[in-house]
């Protein structure tokens, strides 16, 4: 199985901040990496697929980069509605494991 | 608008079985690969399994546990997850999602249901 880790596990940010979350795979997954956002009591929402492609309807302040084993999700200008938990997921090989999540809360 | 609605969750005793359903609307279900993801209380997301579209065979692609059986009824636009030998650690919200090839072979779960809650307790 492909183990996924995320750092940090949590962070505090202010509106307008630039926020970066890192996801690492135990072995190379090329660009097969997705990012999801989840708010309390809600289903996850796809933000980024194939490491850097923005899902339709997602604001361009969200961006993804990386390949191989290291990936980043960046929120360029944090908005009030962006505070949530963010999960990465590898789609390279089954089982398609998720990272443990990064909680971003308001400072 | 694509929509998924899960049902079938509830309180079950350890060792029991449960069949969850996920009804799709607003898109061509027959052509969709579908996945199940679960989330234990206060925990992260756990991928459960995936089933191919009817055109690709309609068979399970892979899963993490042989106790979980994924099937589909394309005549009813419905996805199922049968869970056998339930354990307390199976307590979770279970989500179904479309697993779409958004670029070539780069799959991602782009439409999600609201989830159904399974509680395993004696």
């Amino acid at each position: 199985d492909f183990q996924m880790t995320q750092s940090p596990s949590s962070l505090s940010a202010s509106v307008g901040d630039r926020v970066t979350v890192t996801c690492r795979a135990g072995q190379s997954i090329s660009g097969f990496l997705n990012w999801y956002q989840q708010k309390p009591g809600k289903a996850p929402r796809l933000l980024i697929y194939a490491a850097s492609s923005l899902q339709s309807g997602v604001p361009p302040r969200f961006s993804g980069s990386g390949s191989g084993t290291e990936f980043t999700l960046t929120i360029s200008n944090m908005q009030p509605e962006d505070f949530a938990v963010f999960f990465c997921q590898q789609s390279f090989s089954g089982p398609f494991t998720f990272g443990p999540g990064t909680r971003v809360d308001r400072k | 608008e694509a929509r998924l609605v899960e049902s079938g969750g509830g309180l079950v005793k350890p060792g029991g079985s449960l069949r969850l359903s996920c009804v799709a609307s607003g898109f061509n279900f027959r052509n969709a690969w579908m996945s199940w993801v679960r989330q234990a209380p206060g925990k992260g997301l756990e991928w459960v399994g995936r089933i191919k579209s009817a055109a690709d065979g309609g068979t399970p692609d892979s899963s993490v546990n042989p106790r979980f059986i994924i099937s589909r009824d394309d005549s009813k636009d419905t996805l199922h997850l049968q869970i056998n030998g339930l354990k307390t650690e199976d307590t979770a919200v279970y989500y179904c999602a479309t697993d779409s090839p958004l670029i070539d072979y780069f799959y991602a779960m782009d439409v999600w249901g609201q989830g159904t809650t399974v509680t395993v307790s004696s």
Side-chain angles (χ1 to χ4, degrees):
Chain A
D1 296 3
F2 287 75
Q3 298 301 315
M4 306 299 293
T5 60
Q6 288 183 233
S7 61
S9 57
S10 65
L11 66 91
S12 295
S14 300
V15 173
D17 281 354
R18 180 183 181 90
V19 169
T20 299
V21 179
T22 298
C23 174
R24 291 185 174 86
Q27 51 189 299
S28 177
I29 57 170
S30 185
F32 291 83
L33 192 284
N34 305 318
W35 288 99
Y36 300 86
Q37 176 191 49
Q38 187 180 34
K39 296 181 180 179
K42 300 294 187 182
R45 170 199 183 197
L46 176 66
L47 298 176
I48 302 286
Y49 61 94
S52 61
S53 295
L54 192 68
Q55 170 66 348
S56 175
V58 175
R61 63 181 178 271
F62 290 93
S63 64
S65 64
S67 67
T69 61
E70 188 158 332
F71 302 85
T72 59
L73 170 71
T74 300
I75 310 169
S76 61
N77 175 17
M78 200 73 180
Q79 293 301 298
E81 62 269 28
D82 297 339
F83 294 95
V85 180
F86 296 87
F87 295 93
C88 62
Q89 182 227 1
Q90 64 86 10
S91 59
F92 181 76
S93 178
F96 301 107
T97 41
F98 288 88
T102 294
R103 181 179 303 276
V104 179
D105 61 22
R106 200 155 179 173
K107 193 180 290 181
Chain B
E1 180 191 356
R3 188 167 181 235
L4 298 169
V5 179
E6 300 95 334
S7 62
L11 175 63
V12 187
K13 288 183 167 48
S17 296
L18 203 59
R19 189 193 199 201
L20 308 182
S21 298
C22 167
V23 177
S25 60
F27 65 98
N28 189 336
F29 180 75
R30 282 186 61 86
N31 290 347
W33 289 44
M34 300 295 298
S35 286
W36 286 97
V37 173
R38 69 180 183 177
Q39 187 168 37
K43 302 297 184 182
L45 302 173
E46 180 183 14
W47 184 84
V48 171
R50 184 169 78 174
I51 189 165
K52 300 176 183 178
S53 67
D56 292 315
T59 54
D61 181 37
S62 56
S63 72
V64 295
N65 195 313
R67 294 188 296 111
F68 300 153
I69 301 170
I70 300 176
S71 62
R72 61 191 299 154
D73 183 344
D74 292 317
S75 69
K76 296 181 180 178
D77 290 345
T78 301
L79 174 73
H80 297 292
L81 175 65
Q82 174 86 20
I83 312 174
N84 298 319
L86 278 156
K87 305 176 180 182
T88 56
E89 53 263 40
D90 293 323
T91 294
V93 176
Y94 286 75
Y95 297 100
C96 63
T98 58
D99 206 340
S100 305
L102 298 178
I103 301 177
D104 294 333
Y105 298 104
F106 290 88
Y107 281 75
M109 287 176 271
D110 56 336
V111 179
W112 293 69
Q114 85 290 349
T116 187
T117 300
V118 173
T119 304
V120 184
S121 174
S122 55

